[in-house]
Each structure stands twice: as structure tokens, then as C-alpha cells.
Amino acid sequence: MYARRDLYMLTIKEIAERANVSRTTVSRVLNNSGYVSGEARERVMKVIEETGYVPSENAKSLRTKKTRVIGAILPKISTETSSRLVKGMDDILAKEGYQILLANSNLKPEKEIEYVRLLKSRHVDGIILSATNINSGLTGEIKRLNMPFVAVGQHIPELASVIFDDYQAARDMASLFIKKGHKRIAFIGVDEKDRAVGHCRKLGYVDAMEEHQLPIEEGWVQKGEFNMESGYHCMKAILEESKTMPTGLLAVTDRLAIGAMQYLKGQGLSVPKDMAVAGMGASELSRFITPSLTTIDFSVEDAGREAARLLLGYINGESYHEKPQVVHHRLLERESI
């Protein structure tokens, strides 16, 4: 039996000597590559088990020029959407022996640029970015650093992107309201600098209303932030500023929709009897509030998996797909509409 003190000192050469095999054989066993006889593999594994040998990640990185680490920049690391995205990424990356280094931009574009630079300095093999908005500073920095990169949720021209059809999803939801007989539909959005959630979802709502020749009163459209409190205050503003009471409300996130529902309940109004409400995002909470929230499932885990697959391809030398990869959504009709 070998002493455990060899844990950090043992080399491939010493394993080879103790197992009475070549260094090439040890390397093949450690990397699970190439032919090794059953007897030789057994001798190598016995030495590894008895010594507690752990391969040096630094040494492996020097040999392969890969760290087996992927950087992931998220807009808010605590959200359910971020956790679902990371889960999808990890489903693919873990199978290939990759770890994920997370960075939280906290919805600040300047932090995204800072983290792109930092992750490059940490020698990650590639970066997946869930961006809040796309600006020239960010895209310029990504192109300057010249490393494998995939954006999720926002399209970056000339670089790889995995996106949702935010426009069509919002249009589908507005069309459901209209199908249910609603003609006065209010809208809570976010800053349109966020092109996907702020601009595209608002445009989908507007186009659906115009297609059916339905009016949009000025007071019906409010801009909030990504939280329930903002939804609460936006709903208050809609009721106070509208000349005509809307019968439906489409919010661009579930959190905004749930905040709006809380304000309506506080005013003694019933959902959906007095006001039908829908959100977007298929959060877990949307299933358990009363009434359950009609929403859009954007298949965020699938987006994470697709981003990871693309990035691994680029790391391994594949050419960039400049055309965005679109992840499909589905409408979940529940009790709130």
C-alpha cells in the first residue's frame, strides 16, 4: 500500500514505474483515450487508487491549451430565469468535463464589459453572455478579444446568438386576449434599450392591436422595471391615468404581472372577472398564485443547452453561425385570463 503523502507529489512517470507500464499508457488511462490492455489499465488504476493521485488541472491546461472552464455572465444571478439558463448550460458542459464560472452584471451594461475582460484574463475557454442590452462598447470589446462567444436572449450581429421570438410571443399573447373578447388591453413593459424584452415584446403587442384595429390609449401603456413592486405601481398608474378602463393587461414578465394582480386585489377587483392578466416567462410562482397566471414558456433550459452546444463547437474550431438560433416558445393558458 502506498502512502497518501504522495497525493500532490506523484507524477505520471512515477505512476508508470509503479505500475510497470509506459508513460503513454498512463496518459491514455487518465484521458480515457487510445488502446490500453485490460491488465495494464488495471495496474494503473490500482496505483491511482492506492496513492490517491489527482491529475493537475494546470498541467492538463498546459498540454491541451484549454482550462475546461466556461464563463457565464448573467444579468441577475438570483433570478429563476438565470438558474434555468445555467442548468441548461450545465446539462451539456458537465458531460464534456467543463465547469462554469458565473459573473453577475446586476443589470448594468458597464459590468458586462468589465466581466468580458476579466473572464478573458482568467483564460476561460469561452463565454456565454445573457445580456441586458446590446451596445457598441460591448460588441466592440467582444470582437476585440477574439474568443469563442455566444449571446443568449439578445442578437449580436456578426456573432453567435441564441434568441427567443419575443415579438411573436407577445403578439400571440395579445391575440389570445382578443380571441377571448377583450378589446381594451393595457400593457406593462420595460426600457426599450433592452431590445428583446423592452422593444420586441412591446412591438408584438402593438402590432396585434393594430391588426385587429383596436385602439391603444396613452394611459394603458406603462414602463416598469424587472420586479413585482414595479408591476404594482404600473397597474396603479394604468387605473389612475386611463380614460377608459381596460379589461385586460399584458405584462412582459411574470413578476410585473403578479405585482399588477396584487394591486388589483387590493382595490377589490377580481382577476380575471374585472381584469384579465397575463405575464411572460413561465416562472414557478406563476403556477401557484391564485388565480394561476397565463404566461409564455420560453424554454430557457433549451436556450442554455443550445448556447453550450454552439460554444463547444466554436472552442473545437467550428465556424460561427451568424444567423441567430431561435428557441421556440409555448403559450400556457391558465386561470388569469
Side-chain angles (χ1 to χ4, degrees), residues 118-239:
L118 177 62
L119 291 171
K120 172 72 173 182
S121 73
R122 295 293 179 88
H123 304 291
V124 297
D125 292 340
I127 295 175
I128 295 175
L129 168 67
S130 177
T132 50
N133 64 69
I134 302 303
N135 57 74
S136 59
L138 177 62
T139 56
E141 190 65 25
I142 293 166
K143 292 174 182 177
R144 186 184 71 80
L145 293 176
N146 189 31
M147 67 183 302
F149 175 89
V150 177
V152 179
Q154 306 276 1
H155 173 45
I156 300 182
E158 300 179 26
L159 290 173
S161 306
V162 177
I163 63 172
F164 309 106
D165 196 342
D166 294 277
Y167 168 83
Q168 191 59 52
R171 188 162 185 163
D172 290 346
M173 186 62 81
S175 296
L176 177 64
F177 276 100
I178 296 166
K179 180 181 176 182
K180 294 284 187 179
H182 295 278
K183 296 181 179 180
R184 303 191 303 275
I185 306 165
F187 179 86
I188 299 177
V190 296
D191 195 321
E192 291 193 57
K193 289 181 181 178
D194 184 325
R195 181 164 180 81
V197 180
H199 176 74
C200 292
R201 295 185 190 183
K202 182 179 179 181
L203 187 60
Y205 155 78
V206 170
D207 283 357
M209 296 290 280
E210 288 183 352
E211 178 188 4
H212 292 85
Q213 299 180 328
L214 297 176
I216 300 176
E217 284 191 15
E218 184 177 351
W220 293 353
V221 178
Q222 299 291 332
K223 182 175 70 175
E225 299 178 1
F226 289 88
N227 58 66
M228 286 185 272
E229 183 178 1
S230 184
Y232 182 95
H233 291 296
C234 285
M235 188 71 253
K236 181 176 185 291
I238 288 171
L239 295 187

Side-chain angles (χ1 to χ4, degrees), residues 24-39:
T24 299
T25 297
V26 176
S27 180
R28 286 177 175 177
V29 171
L30 291 174
N31 294 304
N32 195 29
S33 63
Y35 172 75
V36 178
S37 71
E39 181 184 355

